[in-house]
Amino acid sequence: MNNRLETFVKDNRKAFDIMEPSEGLWAKIELGLDAKKKKKPVKLYLWMSAAAAIVVVFGLVWLYAGRLQNKDLEIADVSASYAKKEVHFAGLITEKRDSLAIFASANPELYKKFTADLRKLDEDYERLKAELPTSPNQTFVVKAMVKNREIQLQLLKQQLLIINQVDDYKRVNQI
């Protein structure tokens, strides 16, 4: 098959050579080679679309970052004096809870009742803490959080007093 094509081209070579391109065609080709390629103008709406997309992306990032910052809001961000009180109460509460845990082995039933009350106050404190970033009156919420810590401390003091009285009563009645 390839052979037949070659023989056809050889036989008809003179018929192919009679048709040559015109001189004007070669001139047009040369002009096209010498001419610089024209850049297509970038349409204004493409630039506007890209700028709008960038603005939207930055806006969304800014909003998202703002929400993250609000979720990390602490008492010290609202009031430094209340933050100091809260830290002081939290330290005392930890100390009293440790003291209460020591007496747990001697009075397990009493300890369970005491920890149930403290657990309820802890839940209230965590609810207040979660409410703080979105509250319109953050100072009020901070005051409630500090008051909660103060109540926890008072409750722990009362519980330790009760445990000491129970232990004293047991000692006096054994002798």
Side-chain angles (χ1 to χ4, degrees), residues 55-120:
V55 167
V56 167
V57 167
F58 278 116
L60 290 174
V61 167
W62 180 72
L63 284 174
Y64 183 72
R67 286 191 179 166
L68 284 181
Q69 288 176 349
N70 283 344
K71 288 186 179 184
D72 295 338
L73 188 66
E74 297 290 329
I75 294 175
D77 297 332
V78 177
S79 171
S81 63
Y82 283 116
K84 288 178 184 176
K85 287 181 183 180
E86 198 274 338
V87 168
H88 176 69
F89 287 144
L92 291 173
I93 288 169
T94 303
E95 182 182 311
K96 299 290 182 188
R97 282 187 180 203
D98 292 343
S99 299
L100 190 63
I102 292 169
F103 294 110
S105 59
N107 298 309
E109 273 308 304
L110 195 56
Y111 181 75
K112 284 182 185 177
K113 289 179 185 177
F114 289 163
T115 54
D117 293 337
L118 287 171
R119 198 174 312 117
K120 173 67 174 127

Side-chain angles (χ1 to χ4, degrees), residues 1-170:
M1 184 168 172
N2 205 7
N3 232 354
R4 282 192 293 174
L5 179 62
E6 285 179 19
T7 37
F8 177 77
V9 170
K10 285 180 185 177
D11 292 342
N12 297 313
R13 183 147 185 94
K14 290 191 180 194
F16 289 122
D17 288 341
I18 59 167
M19 298 192 78
E20 288 189 26
S22 66
E23 292 295 321
L25 178 65
W26 286 114
K28 286 182 184 177
I29 292 174
E30 287 177 358
L31 283 175
L33 291 175
D34 291 338
K36 293 182 180 176
K37 291 186 179 182
K38 293 181 182 177
K39 292 185 179 179
K40 291 183 181 179
V42 178
K43 299 198 168 74
L44 183 62
Y45 73 89
L46 288 176
W47 283 105
M48 296 292 281
S49 299
I54 290 170
V55 167
V56 167
V57 167
F58 278 116
L60 290 174
V61 167
W62 180 72
L63 284 174
Y64 183 72
R67 286 191 179 166
L68 284 181
Q69 288 176 349
N70 283 344
K71 288 186 179 184
D72 295 338
L73 188 66
E74 297 290 329
I75 294 175
D77 297 332
V78 177
S79 171
S81 63
Y82 283 116
K84 288 178 184 176
K85 287 181 183 180
E86 198 274 338
V87 168
H88 176 69
F89 287 144
L92 291 173
I93 288 169
T94 303
E95 182 182 311
K96 299 290 182 188
R97 282 187 180 203
D98 292 343
S99 299
L100 190 63
I102 292 169
F103 294 110
S105 59
N107 298 309
E109 273 308 304
L110 195 56
Y111 181 75
K112 284 182 185 177
K113 289 179 185 177
F114 289 163
T115 54
D117 293 337
L118 287 171
R119 198 174 312 117
K120 173 67 174 127
L121 286 170
D122 277 337
E123 289 170 3
D124 290 343
Y125 181 83
E126 291 302 322
R127 182 184 51 79
L128 288 168
K129 189 175 181 180
E131 187 180 307
L132 180 62
T134 58
S135 174
N137 191 353
Q138 293 176 337
T139 306
F140 180 76
V141 175
V142 166
K143 286 180 184 178
M145 290 170 73
V146 171
K147 187 66 175 172
N148 179 289
R149 290 292 195 199
E150 189 177 356
I151 292 170
Q152 285 184 34
L153 183 59
Q154 289 173 354
L155 180 65
L156 282 166
K157 285 179 180 178
Q158 289 174 350
Q159 291 171 348
L160 286 170
L161 181 66
I162 291 169
I163 287 176
N164 285 332
Q165 288 173 347
V166 168
D167 286 344
D168 289 344
Y169 179 77
K170 285 180 181 179

